Amino acid sequence: MNFETQYNQKKEWVESNLESFLPTLDVKSQTLYDAMLYSLNAGGKRIRPILLLATNEFCGGDTENAMPFACAIEYIHTYSLIHDDLPAMDDDDYRRGKPSNHKIYGEAAAILAGDGLLNSAMEMICHDIYHHMGDFKNIKNKILAAREIFTASGCKGMIGGQMADIEAEGKRVSKEHLEYIHMNKTTALIMASVRAGAFLGGAGEALLKNLTLFSKNIGLAFQITDDILDICGDEKLLGKSLGSDIKHEKTTYPSLYGIEASKEKVKALHEESYQILDRYEGTDFLKALLKRLMDRGF
Amino acid sequence: MNFETQYNQKKEWVESNLESFLPTLDVKSQTLYDAMLYSLNAGGKRIRPILLLATNEFCGGDTENAMPFACAIEYIHTYSLIHDDLPAMDDDDYRRGKPSNHKIYGEAAAILAGDGLLNSAMEMICHDIYHHMGDFKNIKNKILAAREIFTASGCKGMIGGQMADIEAEGKRVSKEHLEYIHMNKTTALIMASVRAGAFLGGAGEALLKNLTLFSKNIGLAFQITDDILDICGDEKLLGKSLGSDIKHEKTTYPSLYGIEASKEKVKALHEESYQILDRYEGTDFLKALLKRLMDRGF
């Protein structure tokens, strides 16, 4: 099976589960359900859940067993986008070529839909762990994966990075400050996708260490690529308004180091990630996924 | 030890742990920490964590073992207040006699502080479960308690109730609709406080069933009391602006049934709760707590 087919198969599997894990709601809170589903179904590459599933498989884990965690991480990513787009935050009217959540459902419902997705991620994992109570080794791996995900999505990860990003608006920040933002705002959740997959697949310490470096590199490369595309990407292709960093006077990797140096950095990070994967058998899918991440249009 | 002393002891214990469980943050996201701490320290009766701890103790559980869950439920309650007060939601400038979170830290930080508290609740519980991995029976109870809490705080609980409440604004809703709002918006988390305490304390099925009814009654009574106080309470004593339900044209228990019938309903619910407790030894603290809840100033 070629990469494209494998990727789409995983993507479709994730997407069919995203909806099935949502709580069924009474008609009295139907808007909440609609708002959550709208953003979950708004497309996207599903990179985080696919990274989780692919790492889990590579480490020898079962895909169905990892699915609630893959969906949880997509719920978390989606909630963060809904809240980021709010007028009080980035004030973005479009996301993935469609009106942002609050443009359709209003701000109150968008805030609650974000809260609801984060809470549903936790709920889903609590239910999943509960249903595997008899299988102690599996439970242990699941608890490690859950801890990994919710630490990365929290104050010492994504939320803290988002706060630091807001605090930095309109200021010229240091390289160290920018790295802190990148490490937490974007990279933490990408690293958690890979590390949670590794825990679920039962990876040993040495492998976990290598996969951690692999995921840190792709996380940083991912953020720098986003910043490059915000300057010189194709608005139609990307389905979102560009130039948002300049509008918000944000310090970015390109604004500190220049476009060319940023492109070189992305290549170097990917190269190192490739070398890590190259030490192992069975990494063809992950290697092709890495190549796909590199080819995001610049 | 009299009730007052026991209550304050539990309250202080919870309050000292609320801060210690918060993640230590880098100075770059310091505002997030300050905003979370501001609302956590804004006072409040700490009824939910005290209910959890008292139920856990009554069922024979250890208090220290239950503390992360007690704090988690207070984090969740606090996050819900921060998001409820936002301009897009209830637009309240004061909470517990102090300016609301967004009036001090701005809307973006208030949204993130709410997200951060909800996430920290889950993080704290993941860490706690991880650290008790060797103790299978305890882990099982903790997973049951976690599932209880995050189901109650989610879309089929608090968040769904909040959505239904917003949807009902400016409309005259049915009795059934109002009951749905009350059951989910407020009662679900109060029930979860008691039921999670019962799970942590290892309660059997019959006891759990009775405590469930007890907690349902006090949850509904609590919400109806809030609605009565919003009409005829003492603004200074309660430390919040009153008349908010009328301003938002909300259907409430008093607006559907009248003030007197509402007061009678509260009394009847408390009476039934008292009778449930009266069947058991060792419920003196819970009985006194129930009396305290009844005496909220009308």
Side-chain angles (χ1 to χ4, degrees), chain A residues 24-25 28-29 31 83 88 115 119 122 130 133 136 140 143-144 150 153-156 167 176 180, chain B residues 24-25 28-29 31 83 108 115 119 122 129-130 133 136 140 144 147 150 153-156 167 176 180:
Chain A
T24 46
L25 294 184
K28 298 176 196 73
S29 38
T31 307
H83 282 189
D115 296 346
N119 196 99
M122 299 167 178
Y130 173 76
M133 201 84 88
F136 189 70
K140 195 180 165 187
I143 290 168
L144 282 166
F150 290 106
S153 64
C155 299
K156 294 183 99 157
E167 299 270 63
E176 186 230 346
Y180 175 87
Chain B
T24 46
L25 293 184
K28 299 175 195 75
S29 38
T31 308
H83 281 190
D115 296 346
N119 195 99
M122 183 64 179
I129 291 179
Y130 173 76
M133 200 84 88
F136 189 70
K140 195 179 165 186
L144 283 166
R147 194 176 70 137
F150 291 107
S153 64
C155 299
K156 293 182 99 156
E167 300 270 64
E176 184 230 348
Y180 175 86

Side-chain angles (χ1 to χ4, degrees), chain B residues 4 36 107 113 125 135 178 240 250 255-256 279 289:
Chain B
E4 233 25 76
M36 293 194 297
E107 277 184 62
I125 286 180
D135 180 359
L178 183 72
K240 62 178 178 183
K250 280 187 182 172
S255 80
L256 276 183
R279 292 182 215 162
L289 183 57

Side-chain angles (χ1 to χ4, degrees), chain A residues 4 15 30 35 43 67 82 87 101 110 135 146 151-152 155 181 186 231 235 265 279:
Chain A
E4 234 26 76
E15 285 174 345
Q30 182 66 34
M67 190 54 85
I82 297 175
N101 197 291
D135 179 359
T151 304
C155 299
I181 294 171
T186 328
I231 297 169
E235 207 155 293
K265 179 72 181 174
R279 292 182 214 162

